[in-house]
Amino acid sequence: MKDFFKYVLATICGIVILGIVAGIFFMISIAGIVASGSATTKVKDNSVLVIKLDGVVDERADEANPLYELLGEADMSQMGLDEIVSAIRKAKDNENIKGIYIEGGATSYDGPATAQQMRDALEDFRSSGKWVIAYADEYMQGSYYVCSVADSVFLNKTGMIDFRGLGGKNYYLTGLYEKIGVRYQCTRVGKYKSAVESVTRKDMSENDREQRMAYLQAIWGNMVESIAKSRGVTAEQLNQLADDSIMVFASVDDYKTAGLIDGAFFPDEIKNVIKGKLGLGEKDEINQLTLKDMANVKDNKKNKGDKIAIYYAYGEIIDEMSSAFSTEHAIIGSKTVEDLNKLAKDDDVKAVVMRVNSPGGSAVASEQIWHALKQLKEKKPIVVSMGGYAASGGYMISAPASYIVAEPTTITGSIGIFGLVPNMSELVTDKLGVTWDGVSTNKHGDYETNLIFSKDNAEELSQMQTYVDRGYETFLNIVADGRGMTRDEVHEIAQGRVWVASDALPIKLVDQLGSMDDAVKKAAELAGISGEYYTSDYPAKTSWIDNLLSSTEDKKGTYIDEQLKQTLGQLYEPIMQARKDCQRNRLQARFPYRIELR
């Protein structure tokens, strides 16, 4: 028995010691990752920046959690447009970096304007005399658009190019809801405000068809014109190729004949092309830099002169954090107002560039942000830089700016309001047999019950329409005040109509077509800055330690959400929208759909 206790005690001591040693090694590993992440990257001579386009390009990338990197679970498929553009600019200014190698893939861009900004940054890089080479096993349409700016575009010998134009079908759930006894009740202002149609119609309205065709043609025309200019072909030739289903060419050589590529190689052969550009021998190694490496390359231009704040406002506009959905980034009304008030009081900040990439959302939260921006503008100039979207509520928060700059393919406008409430009387009463009865001190004390469960609710719907009408008038006056127009002039181009920025320019919804850089230059001009200036990003990215401490719950949501996406496929979006409708503010100023460029 004595030996038994001796061995048990020895085992327990061994486990404790092993745990302590493992913990020490774990903390050393974490410290090593953190140190490596914060250390300045030294760029070797004759280096190449490698950009792999495989995943999702969002407006901004959050700081990675070192724990996931240690466990090999880091999500490398999420790329921030901000970090990509920053890396390209640093590469342009660093004399040791000779060129950029882009590897195309199945990349999804948050709107055509996101892809356009990447392409513009690469074109600016080339203007310095440095080279860009692109290669892919397969080019999806969005990636080919970005990569076509390269000096040379290459394709795998067994590869293909997806080039077919823009378009797609919207889903309509009305028939489904009819089967289960649910009917969506809509109150809206604006004949083009089509956000409600997916649950109130079984097909596309002519007004929605008109606006969709207009902005898709404008976006596609811009893409084709850019590709044609870079590849030395005509827009007519490219459109003919798209109509002829270029993606199913019989031979890879046909892509070269069509002018889309400069040659075809197997993956290992492309290395020799890069080595030739660098003047390296066959056995020499290529000095490569990733986006992560470039994040730690010193920026000599930073923190000199006056400060211009760049405030990132992207995602759906919601009232409170509890309204956030899955892992999507959101513009939280109360938090954004708090941030803007701090910027107004910060004397070091001479001007603010607000980067808006939002389809809108809660009309109430949008109006609160608008009010905070009006107060901020009284103290310093605000320039809005529009990203992929600045529509509906996204336009409302842009309207008070001193100046608005948008990419030509930015989706904007959609000045309209709607309310959407499901009526489940047929499901609950007719099918399930549930009835309602009660008392109320006043006539409309139980109006919500009537809206959702009563068949006789015309008066409640009428009052809800009045509320929506009031919201629309507020929206019109906000835009009129910010853009120097009359209420009637705004109404003429509003009514929920969606515009691409190139068409929004002549009707005064934007002031200039351009990039974030153009917006920053304008902000400096309006602030009267004659000397040097630098930019500082707001709000600050979540630190790795905050990510680490909050990772457990966040990771659960992320994992479940990703599994749902993979399982449901195209059904994921309509199901998620139905879930979101139950949580959203009843009064919405929201763009109805997303244009993902793949």
Side-chain angles (χ1 to χ4, degrees), residues 187-189 193 315-320 323 331-334 337 358-372 391-398 414-420 464 467-476 478 583-591:
T187 53
R188 67 172 178 174
V189 180
K193 199 66 180 173
E316 184 169 336
I317 301 173
I318 61 177
D319 295 293
E320 297 294 342
S323 305
I331 303 171
I332 303 166
S334 56
V337 168
S358 172
S362 165
V364 175
S366 299
E367 191 172 349
Q368 290 173 348
I369 294 171
W370 163 79
H371 180 67
S392 204
Y395 190 81
M396 183 184 290
I397 66 174
S398 302
S414 192
I415 301 167
I417 300 286
F418 70 91
L420 201 59
M464 188 170 169
Y467 182 40
V468 170
D469 290 340
R470 190 183 78 188
Y472 181 65
E473 287 300 319
T474 299
F475 202 162
L476 292 181
I478 283 174
Q583 302 178 42
R584 287 180 170 123
N585 186 295
R586 191 158 289 167
L587 192 63
Q588 289 284 304
R590 178 166 49 86
F591 182 64

Side-chain angles (χ1 to χ4, degrees), residues 210-424:
E210 175 192 348
Q211 68 176 350
R212 287 202 197 200
M213 182 58 73
Y215 67 68
L216 284 179
Q217 285 179 333
I219 292 168
W220 179 245
N222 182 279
M223 290 175 62
V224 167
E225 184 179 342
S226 298
I227 294 171
K229 182 179 178 182
S230 295
R231 297 303 305 164
V233 296
T234 66
E236 290 75 15
Q237 287 174 308
L238 290 174
N239 275 310
Q240 188 61 54
L241 290 171
D243 289 338
D244 291 342
S245 297
I246 185 71
M247 61 187 295
V248 292
F249 262 174
S251 169
V252 73
D253 293 331
D254 293 334
Y255 293 113
K256 185 174 181 180
T257 302
L260 295 185
I261 64 172
D262 297 291
F265 297 99
F266 287 114
D268 59 320
E269 296 175 319
I270 194 67
K271 290 182 180 180
N272 294 328
V273 176
I274 304 296
K275 287 180 179 180
K277 282 284 188 181
L278 297 171
L280 299 176
E282 186 178 342
K283 295 184 179 180
D284 293 330
E285 292 293 325
I286 300 172
N287 295 324
Q288 302 179 41
L289 293 160
T290 65
L291 291 177
K292 183 179 178 181
D293 294 329
M294 292 302 297
N296 296 319
V297 171
K298 188 177 180 181
D299 186 353
N300 294 324
K301 294 183 177 181
K302 204 165 186 179
N303 300 341
K304 291 183 179 179
D306 291 318
K307 182 196 291 189
I308 296 176
I310 297 179
Y311 187 86
Y312 284 87
Y314 61 103
E316 184 169 336
I317 301 173
I318 61 177
D319 295 293
E320 297 294 342
M321 191 63 188
S322 58
S323 305
F325 312 116
S326 66
T327 57
E328 296 174 2
H329 189 277
I331 303 171
I332 303 166
S334 56
K335 177 65 169 64
T336 303
V337 168
E338 180 183 341
D339 291 342
L340 294 174
N341 289 339
K342 288 180 181 178
L343 286 174
K345 297 174 183 176
D346 190 340
D347 293 334
D348 292 333
V349 174
K350 305 305 179 185
V352 176
V353 172
M354 188 163 175
R355 175 66 171 186
V356 178
N357 190 349
S358 172
S362 165
V364 175
S366 299
E367 191 172 349
Q368 290 173 348
I369 294 171
W370 163 79
H371 180 67
L373 285 165
K374 282 271 290 182
Q375 293 179 316
L376 174 59
K377 193 171 76 167
E378 291 176 0
K379 297 186 176 182
K380 56 197 72 175
I382 306 169
V383 176
V384 162
S385 168
M386 291 181 171
Y389 306 86
S392 204
Y395 190 81
M396 183 184 290
I397 66 174
S398 302
S402 312
Y403 199 80
I404 298 177
V405 180
E407 293 284 349
T409 53
T410 294
I411 297 296
T412 190
S414 192
I415 301 167
I417 300 286
F418 70 91
L420 201 59
V421 179
N423 184 281
M424 296 185 282

Side-chain angles (χ1 to χ4, degrees), residues 553-570:
E553 290 303 314
D554 291 346
K555 195 65 176 176
K556 285 179 182 177
T558 303
Y559 177 78
I560 293 172
D561 195 57
E562 288 302 320
Q563 292 302 306
L564 280 172
K565 284 182 181 178
Q566 293 179 24
T567 303
L568 297 174
Q570 291 186 337

Side-chain angles (χ1 to χ4, degrees), residues 22-332:
I24 292 172
F25 276 109
F26 178 79
M27 295 308 297
I28 291 173
S29 299
I30 287 290
I33 292 174
V34 175
S36 64
S38 60
T40 301
T41 299
K42 293 183 179 180
V43 181
K44 298 178 182 178
D45 188 27
N46 223 19
S47 291
V48 176
L49 169 59
V50 177
I51 302 175
K52 293 186 178 182
L53 299 178
D54 189 12
V56 179
V57 180
D58 290 323
E59 181 64 37
R60 199 179 184 203
D62 286 327
E63 193 167 327
N65 191 323
L67 177 58
Y68 297 152
E69 293 186 20
L70 179 67
L71 299 177
E73 296 181 3
D75 183 7
M76 300 308 293
S77 64
Q78 294 291 119
M79 296 174 282
L81 177 64
D82 60 336
E83 66 179 0
I84 294 173
V85 172
S86 175
I88 294 172
R89 287 174 181 160
K90 287 181 182 179
K92 175 188 174 183
D93 296 332
N94 194 301
E95 61 182 14
N96 290 332
I97 298 177
K98 307 304 180 185
I100 293 177
Y101 168 67
I102 314 175
E103 192 166 282
T107 308
S108 175
Y109 302 87
D110 186 18
T114 299
Q116 182 171 10
Q117 289 166 88
M118 285 181 57
R119 198 178 193 280
D120 290 344
L122 290 166
E123 192 164 29
D124 179 63
F125 176 86
R126 286 187 61 214
S127 70
S128 67
K130 298 183 178 184
W131 50 263
V132 177
I133 290 178
Y135 175 84
D137 293 331
E138 294 181 4
Y139 285 106
M140 301 306 289
Q141 195 159 239
S143 290
Y144 182 75
Y145 166 64
V146 172
C147 293
S148 64
V149 75
D151 298 86
S152 300
V153 179
F154 299 110
L155 179 66
N156 190 306
K157 284 191 175 182
T158 59
M160 58 162 276
I161 300 175
D162 179 11
F163 192 76
R164 52 194 158 81
L166 302 178
K169 288 180 167 52
N170 195 31
Y171 59 84
Y172 296 87
L173 302 176
T174 305
L176 169 64
Y177 288 131
E178 284 178 350
K179 291 181 183 299
I180 62 175
V182 174
R183 174 175 54 88
Y184 268 89
Q185 305 163 119
C186 163
T187 53
R188 67 172 178 174
V189 180
K191 61 183 180 180
Y192 294 99
K193 199 66 180 173
S194 59
V196 300
E197 291 186 1
S198 63
V199 293
T200 59
R201 293 179 59 96
K202 295 182 180 180
D203 58 1
M204 187 181 296
S205 69
E206 288 307 310
N207 289 324
D208 192 25
R209 192 179 304 277
E210 175 192 348
Q211 68 176 350
R212 287 202 197 200
M213 182 58 73
Y215 67 68
L216 284 179
Q217 285 179 333
I219 292 168
W220 179 245
N222 182 279
M223 290 175 62
V224 167
E225 184 179 342
S226 298
I227 294 171
K229 182 179 178 182
S230 295
R231 297 303 305 164
V233 296
T234 66
E236 290 75 15
Q237 287 174 308
L238 290 174
N239 275 310
Q240 188 61 54
L241 290 171
D243 289 338
D244 291 342
S245 297
I246 185 71
M247 61 187 295
V248 292
F249 262 174
S251 169
V252 73
D253 293 331
D254 293 334
Y255 293 113
K256 185 174 181 180
T257 302
L260 295 185
I261 64 172
D262 297 291
F265 297 99
F266 287 114
D268 59 320
E269 296 175 319
I270 194 67
K271 290 182 180 180
N272 294 328
V273 176
I274 304 296
K275 287 180 179 180
K277 282 284 188 181
L278 297 171
L280 299 176
E282 186 178 342
K283 295 184 179 180
D284 293 330
E285 292 293 325
I286 300 172
N287 295 324
Q288 302 179 41
L289 293 160
T290 65
L291 291 177
K292 183 179 178 181
D293 294 329
M294 292 302 297
N296 296 319
V297 171
K298 188 177 180 181
D299 186 353
N300 294 324
K301 294 183 177 181
K302 204 165 186 179
N303 300 341
K304 291 183 179 179
D306 291 318
K307 182 196 291 189
I308 296 176
I310 297 179
Y311 187 86
Y312 284 87
Y314 61 103
E316 184 169 336
I317 301 173
I318 61 177
D319 295 293
E320 297 294 342
M321 191 63 188
S322 58
S323 305
F325 312 116
S326 66
T327 57
E328 296 174 2
H329 189 277
I331 303 171
I332 303 166

